Coordinates of all heavy atoms in Angstrom, one line a residue:
L1 N -53.1 -37.6 -41.6 CA -51.9 -36.9 -41.2 C -51.1 -36.6 -42.4 O -51.0 -37.3 -43.3 CB -51.1 -37.9 -40.3 CG -51.7 -38.2 -38.9 CD1 -50.9 -39.2 -38.2 CD2 -52.0 -37.0 -38.1
Y2 N -50.4 -35.4 -42.3 CA -49.6 -35.0 -43.4 C -48.2 -34.8 -42.9 O -48.0 -34.3 -41.7 CB -50.1 -33.6 -43.9 CG -51.5 -33.7 -44.5 CD1 -52.6 -33.4 -43.8 CD2 -51.6 -34.2 -45.8 CE1 -53.8 -33.4 -44.3 CE2 -52.9 -34.3 -46.4 CZ -54.0 -33.9 -45.6 OH -55.2 -34.0 -46.2
P3 N -47.2 -35.1 -43.7 CA -45.8 -34.9 -43.2 C -45.5 -33.4 -43.1 O -46.0 -32.6 -43.8 CB -44.9 -35.5 -44.3 CG -45.9 -36.0 -45.4 CD -47.3 -35.7 -45.0
V4 N -44.8 -33.1 -42.1 CA -44.4 -31.7 -41.9 C -42.9 -31.6 -41.8 O -42.2 -32.5 -41.5 CB -45.0 -31.1 -40.5 CG1 -46.5 -31.1 -40.6 CG2 -44.5 -31.9 -39.3
P5 N -42.3 -30.4 -42.2 CA -40.9 -30.3 -42.2 C -40.3 -30.3 -40.8 O -41.0 -29.8 -39.9 CB -40.7 -28.9 -42.9 CG -41.9 -28.2 -42.7 CD -43.0 -29.2 -42.6
K6 N -39.1 -30.7 -40.7 CA -38.4 -30.7 -39.4 C -38.0 -29.2 -39.2 O -37.5 -28.5 -40.1 CB -37.1 -31.5 -39.5 CG -37.3 -33.0 -39.6 CD -37.6 -33.5 -38.3 CE -37.6 -35.1 -38.4 NZ -37.9 -35.7 -37.2
M7 N -38.2 -28.7 -38.0 CA -38.0 -27.3 -37.7 C -36.7 -27.1 -37.0 O -36.3 -25.9 -36.8 CB -39.1 -26.8 -36.8 CG -40.5 -26.8 -37.5 SD -40.5 -26.0 -39.2 CE -40.2 -24.3 -38.7
L8 N -36.0 -28.1 -36.6 CA -34.7 -28.0 -35.8 C -33.7 -27.2 -36.7 O -32.9 -26.4 -36.2 CB -34.2 -29.3 -35.3 CG -34.9 -29.9 -34.2 CD1 -34.4 -31.3 -33.9 CD2 -34.8 -29.1 -33.0
G9 N -33.6 -27.5 -38.0 CA -32.7 -26.9 -38.8 C -33.0 -25.4 -39.0 O -32.1 -24.5 -39.0
K10 N -34.3 -25.1 -39.1 CA -34.7 -23.7 -39.2 C -34.4 -22.9 -37.9 O -34.1 -21.8 -37.9 CB -36.2 -23.6 -39.5 CG -36.6 -24.1 -40.9 CD -36.1 -23.0 -41.9 CE -36.5 -23.4 -43.3 NZ -35.8 -22.6 -44.3
L11 N -34.6 -23.6 -36.8 CA -34.3 -22.9 -35.5 C -32.9 -22.5 -35.4 O -32.6 -21.4 -34.9 CB -34.6 -23.9 -34.3 CG -34.4 -23.3 -33.0 CD1 -35.4 -22.2 -32.7 CD2 -34.7 -24.4 -31.9
Q12 N -31.9 -23.2 -36.0 CA -30.5 -22.9 -36.0 C -30.4 -21.6 -36.8 O -29.6 -20.7 -36.5 CB -29.7 -24.0 -36.6 CG -28.2 -23.7 -36.7 CD -27.5 -23.5 -35.4 OE1 -28.0 -24.0 -34.3 NE2 -26.4 -22.8 -35.4
E13 N -31.1 -21.4 -37.9 CA -31.0 -20.2 -38.7 C -31.7 -19.0 -38.0 O -31.1 -17.9 -38.0 CB -31.8 -20.4 -40.1 CG -31.2 -21.4 -41.0 CD -32.0 -21.7 -42.2 OE1 -32.9 -20.8 -42.5 OE2 -31.9 -22.8 -42.8
W14 N -32.8 -19.2 -37.4 CA -33.5 -18.1 -36.7 C -32.8 -17.6 -35.5 O -32.8 -16.5 -35.2 CB -34.9 -18.6 -36.4 CG -35.8 -18.9 -37.5 CD1 -35.7 -18.4 -38.8 CD2 -36.9 -19.8 -37.5 NE1 -36.7 -18.9 -39.6 CE2 -37.5 -19.8 -38.8 CE3 -37.5 -20.6 -36.6 CZ2 -38.6 -20.5 -39.2 CZ3 -38.6 -21.3 -36.9 CH2 -39.1 -21.3 -38.2
C15 N -32.3 -18.6 -34.7 CA -31.7 -18.2 -33.4 C -30.5 -19.1 -33.2 O -30.5 -20.0 -32.4 CB -32.7 -18.4 -32.3 SG -32.3 -17.6 -30.8
P16 N -29.3 -18.7 -33.8 CA -28.2 -19.6 -33.7 C -27.6 -19.7 -32.3 O -26.9 -20.6 -32.0 CB -27.2 -19.0 -34.7 CG -27.7 -17.6 -34.9 CD -29.1 -17.6 -34.7
E17 N -27.8 -18.7 -31.4 CA -27.3 -18.7 -30.1 C -28.2 -19.5 -29.1 O -27.8 -19.6 -27.9 CB -27.1 -17.3 -29.6 CG -26.1 -16.5 -30.5 CD -24.7 -17.1 -30.5 OE1 -24.2 -17.5 -29.5 OE2 -24.1 -17.2 -31.6
A18 N -29.3 -20.0 -29.5 CA -30.3 -20.6 -28.6 C -29.7 -22.0 -28.1 O -29.0 -22.6 -28.8 CB -31.6 -20.9 -29.3
F19 N -30.0 -22.3 -26.9 CA -29.7 -23.7 -26.3 C -30.8 -24.6 -26.8 O -31.9 -24.4 -26.4 CB -29.6 -23.6 -24.8 CG -29.0 -24.8 -24.2 CD1 -27.7 -25.0 -24.1 CD2 -29.9 -25.8 -23.7 CE1 -27.2 -26.2 -23.5 CE2 -29.4 -27.0 -23.1 CZ -28.0 -27.1 -23.0
K20 N -30.5 -25.6 -27.6 CA -31.5 -26.4 -28.3 C -31.4 -27.8 -27.7 O -30.3 -28.4 -27.7 CB -31.3 -26.4 -29.8 CG -31.5 -25.0 -30.4 CD -31.1 -24.9 -31.8 CE -29.6 -24.9 -32.0 NZ -28.8 -23.8 -31.5
I21 N -32.6 -28.3 -27.3 CA -32.7 -29.7 -26.9 C -33.8 -30.4 -27.7 O -34.8 -29.7 -28.0 CB -33.2 -29.8 -25.4 CG1 -32.2 -29.1 -24.5 CG2 -33.4 -31.2 -24.9 CD1 -31.0 -29.9 -24.1
S22 N -33.6 -31.6 -28.2 CA -34.7 -32.3 -28.9 C -35.1 -33.5 -28.1 O -34.4 -33.9 -27.2 CB -34.2 -32.6 -30.3 OG -33.2 -33.6 -30.3
F23 N -36.1 -34.2 -28.6 CA -36.6 -35.4 -28.0 C -36.8 -36.5 -29.0 O -37.1 -36.3 -30.1 CB -38.0 -35.1 -27.4 CG -38.0 -34.0 -26.4 CD1 -38.2 -32.7 -26.8 CD2 -37.8 -34.2 -25.0 CE1 -38.2 -31.6 -25.9 CE2 -37.8 -33.2 -24.1 CZ -38.0 -31.9 -24.6
K24 N -36.4 -37.7 -28.5 CA -36.6 -38.9 -29.3 C -37.4 -39.9 -28.6 O -37.1 -40.2 -27.4 CB -35.2 -39.5 -29.7 CG -34.4 -38.8 -30.7 CD -35.1 -39.0 -32.0 CE -34.4 -38.1 -33.1 NZ -35.2 -38.1 -34.3
L25 N -38.4 -40.5 -29.2 CA -39.2 -41.6 -28.6 C -39.1 -42.8 -29.6 O -39.4 -42.6 -30.7 CB -40.6 -41.2 -28.4 CG -41.6 -42.3 -27.9 CD1 -41.2 -42.6 -26.4 CD2 -43.0 -41.8 -27.9
E26 N -38.6 -43.9 -29.1 CA -38.4 -45.1 -29.9 C -39.0 -46.3 -29.3 O -39.2 -46.3 -28.1 CB -36.9 -45.3 -30.1 CG -36.1 -44.2 -30.9 CD -36.6 -44.1 -32.3 OE1 -37.1 -45.0 -32.9 OE2 -36.4 -43.0 -32.8
T27 N -39.3 -47.3 -30.1 CA -39.8 -48.6 -29.6 C -38.7 -49.6 -29.5 O -38.9 -50.6 -28.7 CB -40.9 -49.1 -30.5 OG1 -40.4 -49.2 -31.8 CG2 -42.1 -48.1 -30.5
D28 N -37.6 -49.4 -30.2 CA -36.5 -50.4 -30.2 C -35.3 -49.9 -29.4 O -34.7 -48.9 -29.8 CB -36.1 -50.7 -31.6 CG -35.1 -51.8 -31.8 OD1 -34.5 -52.2 -30.8 OD2 -34.9 -52.2 -33.0
P29 N -35.0 -50.5 -28.3 CA -33.8 -50.1 -27.5 C -32.5 -50.1 -28.3 O -31.6 -49.4 -27.9 CB -33.8 -51.0 -26.3 CG -34.6 -52.2 -26.6 CD -35.6 -51.7 -27.7
D30 N -32.4 -51.0 -29.3 CA -31.2 -51.1 -30.0 C -30.8 -49.9 -30.9 O -29.7 -49.8 -31.3 CB -31.2 -52.4 -30.9 CG -31.2 -53.7 -30.0 OD1 -30.7 -53.6 -28.9 OD2 -31.8 -54.7 -30.5
I31 N -31.8 -49.1 -31.2 CA -31.6 -48.0 -32.1 C -31.7 -46.6 -31.4 O -31.3 -45.6 -32.0 CB -32.5 -48.0 -33.3 CG1 -34.0 -47.8 -32.9 CG2 -32.4 -49.2 -34.1 CD1 -34.9 -47.5 -34.0
L32 N -32.1 -46.6 -30.1 CA -32.3 -45.3 -29.5 C -31.0 -44.4 -29.4 O -31.0 -43.3 -29.8 CB -32.8 -45.5 -28.0 CG -33.0 -44.2 -27.2 CD1 -34.0 -43.3 -27.9 CD2 -33.4 -44.5 -25.8
R33 N -29.9 -45.0 -29.0 CA -28.6 -44.2 -28.9 C -28.2 -43.7 -30.2 O -27.8 -42.5 -30.4 CB -27.5 -45.0 -28.2 CG -26.3 -44.3 -28.1 CD -25.2 -45.0 -27.3 NE -24.0 -44.2 -27.2 CZ -23.0 -44.6 -26.6 NH1 -23.0 -45.7 -25.9 NH2 -21.9 -43.8 -26.6
N34 N -28.2 -44.5 -31.2 CA -27.9 -44.1 -32.6 C -28.7 -42.9 -33.1 O -28.2 -42.0 -33.6 CB -27.9 -45.3 -33.6 CG -27.4 -44.9 -34.9 OD1 -26.4 -44.2 -35.1 ND2 -28.1 -45.3 -35.9
K35 N -30.0 -43.0 -32.8 CA -30.9 -42.0 -33.2 C -30.6 -40.7 -32.5 O -30.7 -39.6 -33.1 CB -32.4 -42.4 -33.0 CG -32.9 -43.5 -33.9 CD -33.4 -42.9 -35.2 CE -34.1 -44.0 -35.9 NZ -35.0 -43.5 -36.9
M36 N -30.3 -40.8 -31.2 CA -29.9 -39.6 -30.4 C -28.7 -39.0 -30.9 O -28.6 -37.7 -31.1 CB -29.8 -40.0 -28.9 CG -31.1 -40.4 -28.3 SD -30.9 -41.0 -26.6 CE -30.4 -39.6 -25.7
E37 N -27.6 -39.8 -31.2 CA -26.4 -39.3 -31.7 C -26.5 -38.6 -33.1 O -26.0 -37.6 -33.4 CB -25.3 -40.4 -31.8 CG -24.9 -40.8 -30.4 CD -24.0 -42.1 -30.4 OE1 -23.9 -42.7 -31.5 OE2 -23.4 -42.4 -29.4
T38 N -27.3 -39.3 -34.0 CA -27.6 -38.7 -35.3 C -28.3 -37.4 -35.2 O -28.0 -36.5 -36.0 CB -28.4 -39.7 -36.1 OG1 -27.7 -41.0 -36.2 CG2 -28.7 -39.2 -37.5
S39 N -29.2 -37.3 -34.3 CA -29.9 -36.0 -34.1 C -29.0 -34.9 -33.7 O -29.0 -33.8 -34.2 CB -31.0 -36.2 -33.1 OG -31.8 -35.0 -32.9
L40 N -28.1 -35.2 -32.8 CA -27.1 -34.2 -32.3 C -26.2 -33.7 -33.5 O -26.0 -32.5 -33.7 CB -26.1 -34.8 -31.3 CG -26.6 -34.8 -29.8 CD1 -25.6 -35.5 -29.0 CD2 -26.9 -33.4 -29.3
Q41 N -25.8 -34.7 -34.3 CA -24.9 -34.3 -35.5 C -25.7 -33.6 -36.6 O -25.1 -32.7 -37.2 CB -24.3 -35.6 -36.0 CG -23.4 -36.3 -35.1 CD -23.0 -37.7 -35.5 OE1 -23.4 -38.2 -36.5 NE2 -22.2 -38.4 -34.7
S42 N -26.9 -34.0 -36.8 CA -27.7 -33.4 -37.9 C -28.2 -32.0 -37.7 O -28.2 -31.2 -38.6 CB -28.9 -34.3 -38.2 OG -28.5 -35.6 -38.6
Y43 N -28.5 -31.7 -36.4 CA -29.2 -30.4 -36.2 C -28.4 -29.5 -35.3 O -28.9 -28.4 -35.1 CB -30.6 -30.7 -35.6 CG -31.5 -31.5 -36.5 CD1 -31.8 -32.8 -36.2 CD2 -32.0 -30.9 -37.7 CE1 -32.6 -33.5 -37.1 CE2 -32.8 -31.6 -38.5 CZ -33.1 -33.0 -38.2 OH -33.9 -33.7 -39.1
G44 N -27.3 -29.9 -34.8 CA -26.4 -29.0 -34.1 C -27.0 -28.5 -32.7 O -26.6 -27.5 -32.2
Q45 N -27.9 -29.3 -32.2 CA -28.4 -28.9 -30.8 C -27.4 -29.3 -29.7 O -26.4 -30.1 -30.0 CB -29.8 -29.5 -30.6 CG -29.7 -31.0 -30.4 CD -30.5 -31.7 -31.5 OE1 -30.9 -31.2 -32.5 NE2 -30.9 -32.9 -31.3
Q46 N -27.6 -28.9 -28.6 CA -26.7 -29.1 -27.4 C -27.1 -30.4 -26.7 O -26.3 -31.0 -26.0 CB -26.7 -28.0 -26.5 CG -26.0 -26.7 -27.0 CD -26.7 -26.0 -28.1 OE1 -27.9 -26.0 -28.2 NE2 -26.0 -25.4 -29.0
G47 N -28.3 -30.9 -26.8 CA -28.7 -32.1 -26.1 C -29.9 -32.8 -26.7 O -30.6 -32.2 -27.5
V48 N -30.0 -34.1 -26.4 CA -31.2 -34.9 -26.8 C -31.7 -35.7 -25.6 O -30.9 -36.3 -24.8 CB -30.8 -35.9 -27.9 CG1 -32.0 -36.7 -28.3 CG2 -30.2 -35.2 -29.1
L49 N -33.0 -35.7 -25.4 CA -33.6 -36.5 -24.4 C -34.3 -37.7 -25.1 O -35.0 -37.4 -26.1 CB -34.7 -35.7 -23.6 CG -34.2 -34.5 -22.8 CD1 -35.4 -33.8 -22.2 CD2 -33.1 -34.9 -21.8
G50 N -34.0 -38.9 -24.7 CA -34.5 -40.0 -25.4 C -35.3 -40.9 -24.5 O -34.9 -41.1 -23.3
N51 N -36.4 -41.5 -25.0 CA -37.2 -42.4 -24.2 C -37.5 -43.6 -25.1 O -37.6 -43.5 -26.3 CB -38.6 -41.8 -23.8 CG -38.5 -40.6 -22.9 OD1 -38.4 -39.5 -23.4 ND2 -38.4 -40.8 -21.7
L52 N -37.8 -44.7 -24.4 CA -38.3 -45.9 -25.0 C -39.8 -45.9 -24.7 O -40.2 -45.6 -23.5 CB -37.7 -47.2 -24.5 CG -36.2 -47.3 -24.9 CD1 -35.6 -48.5 -24.2 CD2 -36.1 -47.5 -26.4
L53 N -40.6 -46.3 -25.6 CA -42.1 -46.3 -25.4 C -42.4 -47.1 -24.2 O -43.3 -46.8 -23.4 CB -42.8 -46.7 -26.6 CG -44.3 -46.6 -26.6 CD1 -44.8 -45.2 -26.3 CD2 -44.9 -47.1 -27.9
S54 N -41.7 -48.2 -24.0 CA -42.1 -49.2 -22.9 C -41.8 -48.7 -21.6 O -42.3 -49.1 -20.6 CB -41.3 -50.5 -23.2 OG -39.9 -50.2 -23.1
S55 N -40.9 -47.6 -21.4 CA -40.6 -47.1 -20.1 C -40.6 -45.6 -20.1 O -39.9 -44.9 -19.3 CB -39.2 -47.6 -19.7 OG -38.2 -47.2 -20.6
H56 N -41.4 -45.0 -21.0 CA -41.3 -43.5 -21.1 C -41.8 -42.7 -19.9 O -41.4 -41.6 -19.7 CB -42.1 -43.1 -22.3 CG -43.6 -43.2 -22.2 ND1 -44.3 -44.4 -22.3 CD2 -44.5 -42.2 -21.9 CE1 -45.6 -44.1 -22.1 NE2 -45.7 -42.9 -21.8
R57 N -42.5 -43.4 -19.0 CA -42.9 -42.7 -17.8 C -41.9 -42.7 -16.6 O -42.0 -42.0 -15.7 CB -44.3 -43.2 -17.3 CG -45.4 -42.9 -18.3 CD -46.7 -43.4 -17.7 NE -47.8 -43.3 -18.7 CZ -48.5 -42.2 -18.9 NH1 -48.3 -41.2 -18.2 NH2 -49.4 -42.3 -19.8
S58 N -40.9 -43.6 -16.8 CA -40.0 -43.8 -15.6 C -38.5 -43.7 -16.0 O -37.7 -43.5 -15.1 CB -40.2 -45.2 -15.0 OG -40.0 -46.2 -16.0
R59 N -38.2 -43.6 -17.2 CA -36.7 -43.6 -17.6 C -36.5 -42.7 -18.8 O -37.2 -42.7 -19.7 CB -36.3 -45.0 -18.0 CG -34.8 -45.1 -18.3 CD -34.4 -46.5 -18.7 NE -34.5 -47.3 -17.6 CZ -34.5 -48.6 -17.6 NH1 -34.3 -49.3 -18.8 NH2 -34.6 -49.3 -16.5
V60 N -35.4 -41.9 -18.6 CA -35.0 -41.0 -19.7 C -33.5 -41.1 -19.9 O -32.8 -41.3 -19.0 CB -35.4 -39.5 -19.4 CG1 -34.7 -39.0 -18.2 CG2 -35.2 -38.6 -20.6
H61 N -33.1 -41.0 -21.2 CA -31.7 -41.1 -21.6 C -31.4 -39.6 -22.0 O -32.1 -39.0 -22.8 CB -31.5 -42.0 -22.8 CG -31.9 -43.4 -22.5 ND1 -31.0 -44.4 -22.4 CD2 -33.1 -44.0 -22.3 CE1 -31.7 -45.5 -22.1 NE2 -33.0 -45.3 -22.1
V62 N -30.3 -39.1 -21.4 CA -29.9 -37.7 -21.6 C -28.5 -37.7 -22.3 O -27.6 -38.3 -21.7 CB -29.9 -36.9 -20.3 CG1 -29.5 -35.4 -20.6 CG2 -31.2 -37.0 -19.6
L63 N -28.4 -37.1 -23.5 CA -27.1 -37.1 -24.2 C -26.9 -35.7 -24.6 O -27.7 -35.0 -25.2 CB -27.2 -38.0 -25.4 CG -25.9 -38.1 -26.2 CD1 -24.8 -38.7 -25.4 CD2 -26.2 -38.9 -27.5
F64 N -25.7 -35.1 -24.1 CA -25.3 -33.8 -24.5 C -24.2 -33.9 -25.5 O -23.4 -34.9 -25.5 CB -24.8 -33.0 -23.3 CG -25.9 -32.6 -22.4 CD1 -26.2 -33.2 -21.2 CD2 -26.8 -31.5 -22.7 CE1 -27.2 -32.9 -20.4 CE2 -27.8 -31.2 -21.9 CZ -28.0 -31.8 -20.7
A65 N -24.0 -32.9 -26.4 CA -23.0 -32.9 -27.3 C -21.6 -33.0 -26.6 O -21.4 -32.4 -25.6 CB -23.0 -31.6 -28.1
G66 N -20.8 -33.9 -27.1 CA -19.5 -34.1 -26.5 C -19.4 -35.2 -25.5 O -18.3 -35.7 -25.1
D67 N -20.6 -35.7 -25.0 CA -20.6 -36.8 -24.1 C -20.3 -38.1 -24.8 O -20.7 -38.4 -25.9 CB -22.0 -36.9 -23.4 CG -22.2 -35.9 -22.4 OD1 -21.3 -35.1 -22.1 OD2 -23.4 -35.8 -21.9
A68 N -19.6 -39.0 -24.1 CA -19.3 -40.3 -24.6 C -20.5 -41.3 -24.6 O -20.6 -42.1 -25.5 CB -18.1 -41.0 -23.8
A69 N -21.3 -41.1 -23.6 CA -22.5 -42.0 -23.4 C -23.6 -41.2 -22.8 O -23.4 -40.3 -22.0 CB -22.1 -43.2 -22.6
P70 N -24.9 -41.6 -23.0 CA -26.0 -41.0 -22.4 C -26.1 -41.3 -20.9 O -25.7 -42.4 -20.5 CB -27.2 -41.5 -23.1 CG -26.8 -42.6 -24.0 CD -25.3 -42.6 -24.0
L71 N -26.5 -40.3 -20.2 CA -26.9 -40.5 -18.8 C -28.3 -41.1 -18.7 O -29.2 -40.6 -19.4 CB -26.8 -39.2 -18.0 CG -27.4 -39.1 -16.6 CD1 -26.6 -39.9 -15.7 CD2 -27.6 -37.7 -16.2
V72 N -28.5 -42.1 -17.9 CA -29.8 -42.7 -17.8 C -30.4 -42.4 -16.4 O -29.8 -42.7 -15.4 CB -29.8 -44.2 -18.1 CG1 -31.2 -44.8 -17.9 CG2 -29.2 -44.5 -19.4
V73 N -31.6 -41.8 -16.4 CA -32.2 -41.5 -15.2 C -33.5 -42.4 -15.1 O -34.3 -42.3 -16.0 CB -32.7 -40.0 -15.1 CG1 -33.4 -39.7 -13.8 CG2 -31.5 -39.1 -15.3
D74 N -33.5 -43.2 -14.1 CA -34.6 -44.2 -13.9 C -35.3 -43.9 -12.6 O -34.7 -44.0 -11.5 CB -33.9 -45.6 -13.9 CG -35.0 -46.7 -14.0 OD1 -36.2 -46.4 -13.7 OD2 -34.6 -47.8 -14.3
K75 N -36.6 -43.6 -12.7 CA -37.4 -43.4 -11.5 C -38.5 -44.5 -11.3 O -39.5 -44.2 -10.7 CB -38.1 -42.0 -11.7 CG -37.2 -40.9 -11.6 CD -36.5 -40.7 -10.3 CE -35.6 -39.6 -10.2 NZ -34.9 -39.5 -9.0
S76 N -38.2 -45.7 -11.8 CA -39.1 -46.8 -11.6 C -39.0 -47.2 -10.2 O -38.0 -47.0 -9.5 CB -38.8 -47.9 -12.6 OG -37.5 -48.4 -12.3
P77 N -40.1 -47.8 -9.6 CA -40.1 -48.2 -8.2 C -38.9 -49.2 -7.8 O -38.4 -49.1 -6.7 CB -41.4 -49.0 -8.0 CG -42.3 -48.5 -9.1 CD -41.3 -48.1 -10.3
A78 N -38.4 -50.0 -8.7 CA -37.3 -50.9 -8.4 C -36.0 -50.3 -8.5 O -34.9 -50.9 -8.2 CB -37.4 -52.1 -9.3
S79 N -35.9 -49.0 -9.0 CA -34.6 -48.3 -9.2 C -34.1 -47.7 -8.0 O -34.9 -47.1 -7.2 CB -34.8 -47.3 -10.3 OG -33.6 -46.5 -10.4
P80 N -32.8 -47.8 -7.7 CA -32.2 -47.1 -6.5 C -32.0 -45.6 -6.7 O -31.7 -44.9 -5.8 CB -30.9 -47.8 -6.4 CG -30.5 -48.2 -7.7 CD -31.8 -48.6 -8.4
C81 N -32.3 -45.1 -7.9 CA -32.1 -43.6 -8.2 C -33.2 -42.8 -7.5 O -34.3 -43.1 -7.5 CB -32.1 -43.3 -9.7 SG -30.7 -44.1 -10.5

């Protein structure tokens, strides 16, 4: 595997009016929100979808620019959502 450049910054240059959403997948729940907020600040996108590897099939964290906290959507069998 070879490192590749991040394209989110280039996307801002190519199409500054585009509605941009990125994705974060983490293994540590203690760093997910920070990584999502950092991504919003660094790349100027409008939203970030974040998942934890342990629950990536049933739960998603949604954070839009300007939101105080992410919305968590949980579709696991034990969830009332």
Side-chain angles (χ1 to χ4, degrees):
L1 296 175
Y2 297 98
V4 295
K6 295 276 188 182
M7 297 307 293
L8 289 172
K10 289 288 184 194
L11 183 61
Q12 179 65 23
E13 293 174 22
W14 294 334
C15 193
E17 300 299 317
F19 189 85
K20 297 170 287 295
I21 301 281
S22 68
F23 302 90
K24 286 288 174 193
L25 178 65
E26 297 295 335
T27 56
D28 184 350
D30 295 331
I31 65 170
L32 179 60
R33 181 172 176 177
N34 185 44
K35 291 275 191 160
M36 292 172 71
E37 290 172 347
T38 300
S39 182
L40 279 176
Q41 295 166 2
S42 298
Y43 299 109
Q45 68 243 17
Q46 286 72 29
V48 179
L49 301 177
N51 297 95
L52 292 171
L53 186 58
S54 61
S55 61
H56 73 280
R57 294 185 188 271
S58 60
R59 182 180 294 166
V60 63
H61 301 249
V62 183
L63 181 63
F64 288 104
D67 285 354
L71 168 70
V72 178
V73 180
D74 189 343
K75 293 294 182 183
S76 62
S79 173
C81 295

